[in-house]
Short mmCIF file of all heavy atoms in Angstrom, two decimals:
data_model
loop_
_atom_site.label_atom_id
_atom_site.label_comp_id
_atom_site.label_asym_id
_atom_site.label_seq_id
_atom_site.Cartn_x
_atom_site.Cartn_y
_atom_site.Cartn_z
N TYR A 825 -132.91 -86.73 -86.74
CA TYR A 825 -132.55 -87.56 -87.88
C TYR A 825 -133.79 -88.45 -88.21
O TYR A 825 -134.19 -89.26 -87.37
CB TYR A 825 -131.35 -88.41 -87.54
CG TYR A 825 -130.92 -89.36 -88.64
CD1 TYR A 825 -130.35 -88.82 -89.81
CD2 TYR A 825 -131.02 -90.70 -88.56
CE1 TYR A 825 -129.86 -89.61 -90.85
CE2 TYR A 825 -130.60 -91.51 -89.58
CZ TYR A 825 -130.01 -90.99 -90.70
OH TYR A 825 -129.61 -91.79 -91.73
N ASN A 826 -134.32 -88.23 -89.41
CA ASN A 826 -135.66 -88.80 -89.69
C ASN A 826 -135.69 -89.62 -91.00
O ASN A 826 -136.78 -89.88 -91.51
CB ASN A 826 -136.67 -87.68 -89.77
CG ASN A 826 -136.96 -87.03 -88.46
OD1 ASN A 826 -137.44 -87.65 -87.53
ND2 ASN A 826 -136.60 -85.78 -88.29
N ILE A 827 -134.51 -90.08 -91.46
CA ILE A 827 -134.53 -91.03 -92.52
C ILE A 827 -133.74 -92.26 -92.11
O ILE A 827 -132.92 -92.20 -91.19
CB ILE A 827 -133.93 -90.47 -93.87
CG1 ILE A 827 -132.43 -90.25 -93.71
CG2 ILE A 827 -134.68 -89.21 -94.25
CD1 ILE A 827 -131.73 -89.86 -95.05
N GLU A 828 -133.97 -93.40 -92.75
CA GLU A 828 -133.22 -94.60 -92.42
C GLU A 828 -132.54 -95.11 -93.72
O GLU A 828 -133.24 -95.41 -94.66
CB GLU A 828 -134.11 -95.66 -91.85
CG GLU A 828 -133.35 -96.90 -91.45
CD GLU A 828 -134.16 -97.92 -90.71
OE1 GLU A 828 -135.40 -97.88 -90.78
OE2 GLU A 828 -133.61 -98.74 -90.00
N VAL A 829 -131.27 -95.17 -93.69
CA VAL A 829 -130.47 -95.68 -94.80
C VAL A 829 -129.98 -97.07 -94.45
O VAL A 829 -129.27 -97.25 -93.41
CB VAL A 829 -129.26 -94.79 -95.15
CG1 VAL A 829 -128.40 -95.35 -96.26
CG2 VAL A 829 -129.74 -93.39 -95.56
N THR A 830 -130.35 -98.10 -95.24
CA THR A 830 -129.97 -99.47 -94.86
C THR A 830 -128.79 -99.95 -95.74
O THR A 830 -128.10 -100.90 -95.30
CB THR A 830 -131.16 -100.39 -95.08
OG1 THR A 830 -131.62 -100.30 -96.44
CG2 THR A 830 -132.29 -100.03 -94.16
N GLN A 831 -128.62 -99.41 -96.95
CA GLN A 831 -127.65 -99.98 -97.84
C GLN A 831 -126.22 -99.46 -97.72
O GLN A 831 -125.27 -99.91 -98.40
CB GLN A 831 -128.11 -99.76 -99.29
CG GLN A 831 -128.14 -98.33 -99.80
CD GLN A 831 -129.49 -97.64 -99.53
OE1 GLN A 831 -130.02 -97.64 -98.45
NE2 GLN A 831 -130.08 -97.14 -100.58
N GLY A 832 -125.99 -98.48 -96.85
CA GLY A 832 -124.68 -97.89 -96.71
C GLY A 832 -124.34 -97.06 -97.91
O GLY A 832 -125.23 -96.51 -98.61
N THR A 833 -123.08 -97.00 -98.26
CA THR A 833 -122.61 -96.23 -99.46
C THR A 833 -121.47 -96.98 -100.09
O THR A 833 -120.64 -97.58 -99.45
CB THR A 833 -122.24 -94.83 -99.08
OG1 THR A 833 -121.79 -94.11 -100.25
CG2 THR A 833 -121.12 -94.79 -98.05
N ASP A 834 -121.46 -96.92 -101.43
CA ASP A 834 -120.38 -97.71 -102.13
C ASP A 834 -119.34 -96.79 -102.72
O ASP A 834 -118.64 -97.12 -103.66
CB ASP A 834 -121.00 -98.62 -103.20
CG ASP A 834 -121.86 -97.84 -104.23
OD1 ASP A 834 -121.82 -96.59 -104.26
OD2 ASP A 834 -122.61 -98.49 -104.97
N VAL A 835 -119.19 -95.55 -102.18
CA VAL A 835 -118.15 -94.65 -102.62
C VAL A 835 -117.22 -94.38 -101.42
O VAL A 835 -117.56 -94.62 -100.26
CB VAL A 835 -118.68 -93.30 -103.14
CG1 VAL A 835 -119.51 -93.55 -104.39
CG2 VAL A 835 -119.49 -92.57 -102.06
N GLY A 836 -116.05 -93.85 -101.74
CA GLY A 836 -115.10 -93.49 -100.70
C GLY A 836 -113.98 -94.45 -100.43
O GLY A 836 -113.21 -94.30 -99.48
N GLY A 837 -113.88 -95.49 -101.23
CA GLY A 837 -112.73 -96.36 -101.16
C GLY A 837 -112.79 -97.39 -100.02
O GLY A 837 -111.78 -97.94 -99.68
N SER A 838 -113.95 -97.61 -99.44
CA SER A 838 -114.06 -98.55 -98.37
C SER A 838 -114.20 -99.99 -98.88
O SER A 838 -114.45 -100.19 -100.09
CB SER A 838 -115.25 -98.23 -97.45
OG SER A 838 -115.05 -97.01 -96.84
N SER A 839 -114.01 -100.99 -97.97
CA SER A 839 -114.04 -102.36 -98.39
C SER A 839 -115.44 -102.78 -98.82
O SER A 839 -115.56 -103.76 -99.65
CB SER A 839 -113.57 -103.24 -97.24
OG SER A 839 -112.31 -102.85 -96.82
N SER A 840 -116.47 -102.18 -98.32
CA SER A 840 -117.83 -102.56 -98.65
C SER A 840 -118.75 -101.42 -98.28
O SER A 840 -118.38 -100.54 -97.52
CB SER A 840 -118.24 -103.84 -97.86
OG SER A 840 -118.15 -103.55 -96.45
N ALA A 841 -120.00 -101.52 -98.74
CA ALA A 841 -120.98 -100.47 -98.39
C ALA A 841 -121.22 -100.48 -96.88
O ALA A 841 -121.41 -99.42 -96.24
CB ALA A 841 -122.31 -100.76 -99.14
N GLY A 842 -121.22 -101.68 -96.29
CA GLY A 842 -121.48 -101.79 -94.84
C GLY A 842 -120.32 -101.18 -94.01
O GLY A 842 -120.55 -100.50 -93.02
N SER A 843 -119.07 -101.38 -94.46
CA SER A 843 -117.94 -100.81 -93.71
C SER A 843 -117.89 -99.30 -93.91
O SER A 843 -117.53 -98.58 -92.95
CB SER A 843 -116.63 -101.43 -94.23
OG SER A 843 -116.35 -101.14 -95.57
N ALA A 844 -118.29 -98.81 -95.06
CA ALA A 844 -118.36 -97.34 -95.29
C ALA A 844 -119.41 -96.75 -94.39
O ALA A 844 -119.19 -95.63 -93.85
CB ALA A 844 -118.69 -97.01 -96.74
N HIS A 845 -120.54 -97.46 -94.17
CA HIS A 845 -121.58 -96.95 -93.30
C HIS A 845 -121.05 -96.83 -91.84
O HIS A 845 -121.25 -95.82 -91.18
CB HIS A 845 -122.72 -97.91 -93.36
CG HIS A 845 -124.04 -97.22 -93.01
ND1 HIS A 845 -125.29 -97.79 -93.27
CD2 HIS A 845 -124.35 -96.04 -92.47
CE1 HIS A 845 -126.25 -97.02 -92.88
NE2 HIS A 845 -125.70 -95.91 -92.39
N LEU A 846 -120.34 -97.84 -91.42
CA LEU A 846 -119.79 -97.81 -90.04
C LEU A 846 -118.73 -96.73 -89.94
O LEU A 846 -118.69 -96.01 -88.94
CB LEU A 846 -119.14 -99.18 -89.75
CG LEU A 846 -118.45 -99.31 -88.38
CD1 LEU A 846 -119.46 -99.03 -87.23
CD2 LEU A 846 -117.80 -100.65 -88.23
N GLU A 847 -117.91 -96.53 -90.91
CA GLU A 847 -116.92 -95.46 -90.92
C GLU A 847 -117.60 -94.08 -90.79
O GLU A 847 -117.16 -93.19 -90.09
CB GLU A 847 -116.03 -95.54 -92.12
CG GLU A 847 -115.07 -96.72 -92.11
CD GLU A 847 -114.52 -97.03 -93.52
OE1 GLU A 847 -114.77 -96.23 -94.43
OE2 GLU A 847 -113.81 -98.01 -93.67
N HIS A 848 -118.70 -93.91 -91.55
CA HIS A 848 -119.45 -92.65 -91.50
C HIS A 848 -120.00 -92.42 -90.09
O HIS A 848 -119.90 -91.33 -89.52
CB HIS A 848 -120.56 -92.65 -92.52
CG HIS A 848 -121.71 -91.87 -92.11
ND1 HIS A 848 -121.81 -90.48 -92.21
CD2 HIS A 848 -122.97 -92.20 -91.57
CE1 HIS A 848 -122.92 -89.99 -91.79
NE2 HIS A 848 -123.65 -91.03 -91.38
N GLN A 849 -120.60 -93.45 -89.51
CA GLN A 849 -121.24 -93.32 -88.21
C GLN A 849 -120.16 -93.01 -87.11
O GLN A 849 -120.43 -92.17 -86.23
CB GLN A 849 -121.97 -94.65 -87.85
CG GLN A 849 -123.24 -94.79 -88.66
CD GLN A 849 -123.64 -96.21 -88.84
OE1 GLN A 849 -122.90 -97.17 -88.62
NE2 GLN A 849 -124.91 -96.43 -89.25
#
C-alpha cells in the first residue's frame, strides 16, 4: 500500500469523513 489518504471519504452515509475512514479500515 503506497498512497496516504488523510481526508477520509464523505460518501457512504457515515457521520463524518473520519468515521467513514475508520469504518473502511
